[in-house]
Amino acid sequence: MPLKELFEKDWQELESEGILFSSLEKLVAWGRSNSLWPATFGLACCAIEMMSSTDGRNDLARFGSEVFRASPRQADVMIVAGRLSKKMAPVMRRVYDQMPDPKWVISMGACASSGGMFNNYAIVQNVDSVVPVDIFVPGCPPRPEALIYAVMQLQKKVRGEAFDGLGQQLPMVDAWTR
């Protein structure tokens, strides 16, 4: 197609021919949402379900999250799977602080989200009191499908396609501030 014809056509006609239009911000958000690399932070029985989300049956790799990173400097999502003891809380905060921006947190399981059945002096009752949590996954332990659904919801949040309880669209996640 000559360049003159390209500028004379309407954008709907060009889209029907396979030429896509978008902003750079949306393109970066799309790329970022489809390459979420989780940091391994399995603390209890929920970690087994987190590991099984990458097997052949569930295949978390379909959503770009198959690379569980052992180094926090290479991860942008922390999946807190299981109960968090008060001794482990500063370590988790240090791992979170070592992750590059932008970073997100998924709280997996009833113990991580609310302390679960462990209402005692040794367990942190909410991971949100240590690090800011973006997605909560309910269950004891939650199924791997629930974690995959949480990753899909986080992808929507990163792309700016998430809505609040009143139906208002939430803003796209800013790349450098939190």
Side-chain angles (χ1 to χ4, degrees):
M1 166 183 310
L3 193 58
K4 185 177 179 185
E5 282 184 33
L6 184 67
F7 288 110
E8 290 176 354
K9 288 189 174 186
D10 192 31
W11 67 273
Q12 285 99 355
E13 294 174 338
L14 292 172
E15 279 189 343
S16 67
E17 294 179 12
I19 298 175
L20 300 176
F21 292 93
S22 182
S23 65
L24 182 61
E25 184 179 73
K26 287 184 179 179
L27 183 66
V28 169
W30 173 82
R32 183 175 288 138
S33 71
N34 288 312
S35 63
L36 298 172
W37 288 2
T40 54
F41 208 82
L43 298 169
C45 49
C46 290
I48 304 299
E49 299 295 323
M50 178 179 68
M51 287 183 257
S52 68
S53 68
T54 60
D55 66 5
R57 174 177 289 196
N58 298 301
D59 197 17
L60 191 61
R62 293 176 289 167
F63 305 101
S65 297
E66 75 273 7
V67 184
F68 276 88
R69 308 312 287 181
S71 170
R73 290 172 185 88
Q74 298 173 348
D76 52 5
V77 177
M78 176 187 281
I79 301 174
V80 182
R83 62 186 180 273
L84 178 67
S85 67
K86 291 189 179 176
K87 281 187 176 182
M88 195 63 170
V91 176
M92 187 184 74
R93 183 62 196 201
R94 186 179 315 131
V95 169
Y96 176 80
D97 290 339
Q98 290 176 353
M99 291 169 59
D101 286 326
K103 52 191 167 190
W104 300 279
V105 177
I106 296 175
S107 175
M108 181 178 176
C111 295
S113 300
S114 65
M117 65 187 103
F118 304 101
N119 188 9
N120 61 24
Y121 66 93
I123 303 297
V124 175
Q125 293 302 308
N126 189 355
V127 173
D128 204 19
S129 63
V130 180
V131 294
V133 175
D134 296 291
I135 307 288
F136 291 94
V137 182
C140 183
R143 302 265 314 141
E145 294 87 1
L147 179 60
I148 291 173
Y149 182 73
V151 169
M152 291 169 55
Q153 295 305 309
L154 185 60
Q155 286 177 333
K156 285 183 182 179
K157 185 174 185 177
V158 172
R159 283 193 303 260
E161 298 173 357
F163 294 89
D164 64 5
L166 301 174
Q168 301 292 326
Q169 185 170 5
L170 295 174
M172 189 180 300
V173 176
D174 192 8
W176 306 111
T177 59
R178 170 92 181 182

